[in-house]
Amino acid sequence: SPTAQVFAALQDLSVIVQTGQPLQIADALAAALCSPLFTGKAWQLNFKKLIAMVETNRPMFTVIAKTGNSKLGHMAAFSTLPGVTCPGAGDCLSHCYSFTAHRYPAAYARQFQNAYLMRFNFRAIADDFATLKHAVDFRLYVDGDYSSAKDVEQWQDLLATRQDVKAYGYSKSFALLVDHNASGKAWASNYLLNISGGHNASAY
């Protein structure tokens, strides 16, 4: 896993991309680029690409993984930053496997990019989703979670546009999901929600 100093610096960046505005995010990335913690070639390259992403509001990394991996097989998958996007997280944060990806600059950068796109350019995510193969299995949030009511609504509306896609995901954002249901807003019929442990929502 990354060193404590590197991990703390990455968490600070994660908070900024989840709460700040584009200019603040770009400034934070520029500062990271000059930090002695990130002098490695891979960090330098990926931070420069993230700065370009913010400047152009266009993806610079893969948005939806379409080739799978040893864990997911041939399933397509979407991830974002863990922790800062997980309002329902409880003790799971102390052993969250998603943070291990932060030792790899490109993996962190992809999660960072997707967190940014969720807030400022969901259309880019929707455009990539539209290119999925017919009848593919799709896991929503391998890393990260619904961080807002807007996230839930956007994803449910988008999933419904591709009824051939078999989508599922784990979530601890119970309050957001319950509110979405109570509001009478639509659920995509091709989406299966798995309840995930380690949450902070004792009321549910």
Side-chain angles (χ1 to χ4, degrees):
S1 59
T3 67
Q5 280 186 307
V6 169
F7 182 77
L10 292 177
Q11 287 305 103
D12 288 344
L13 276 176
S14 297
V15 170
I16 291 171
V17 76
Q18 192 62 26
T19 61
Q21 293 303 306
L23 185 57
Q24 294 171 294
I25 296 166
D27 286 346
L29 286 168
L33 195 62
C34 298
S35 168
L37 295 174
F38 300 110
T39 56
K41 183 186 239 183
W43 283 116
Q44 291 283 302
L45 172 65
N46 285 284
F47 281 145
K48 286 176 182 176
K49 290 174 73 173
L50 284 175
I51 291 170
M53 182 269 298
V54 174
E55 289 175 345
T56 64
N57 203 30
R58 295 176 59 186
M60 295 291 169
F61 301 88
T62 300
V63 177
I64 295 174
K66 301 185 177 77
T67 56
N69 56 34
S70 58
K71 179 181 177 181
L72 297 173
H74 298 294
M75 182 179 297
F78 178 85
S79 291
T80 186
L81 286 167
V84 294
T85 65
C86 305
D91 58 11
C92 60
L93 282 177
S94 64
H95 54 268
C96 179
Y97 68 88
S98 295
F99 289 125
T100 62
H102 293 180
R103 74 184 74 173
Y104 306 109
Y108 176 81
R110 285 192 295 270
Q111 292 177 353
F112 185 104
Q113 169 193 265
N114 285 354
Y116 183 91
L117 295 176
M118 285 297 302
R119 295 189 62 210
F120 299 111
N121 189 8
F122 189 76
R123 172 48 54 191
I125 297 172
D127 288 346
D128 201 39
F129 182 79
T131 69
L132 290 177
K133 291 181 180 179
H134 180 75
V136 71
D137 291 335
F138 174 69
R139 179 168 170 179
L140 178 58
Y141 294 123
V142 176
D143 308 295
D145 204 340
Y146 298 109
S147 67
S148 67
K150 182 180 178 182
D151 288 358
V152 179
E153 185 172 356
Q154 287 185 140
W155 270 114
Q156 292 306 311
D157 289 348
L158 180 58
L159 292 171
T161 66
R162 287 288 305 272
Q163 289 293 316
D164 61 299
V165 171
K166 293 174 283 185
Y168 86 101
Y170 293 87
S171 180
K172 299 178 179 68
S173 297
F174 299 147
L176 298 176
L177 298 168
V178 169
D179 287 348
H180 182 84
N181 194 61
S183 71
K185 293 175 181 174
W187 292 98
S189 61
N190 54 325
Y191 174 68
L192 175 66
L193 172 67
N194 293 306
I195 301 302
S196 184
H199 55 78
N200 62 16
S202 57
Y204 304 106

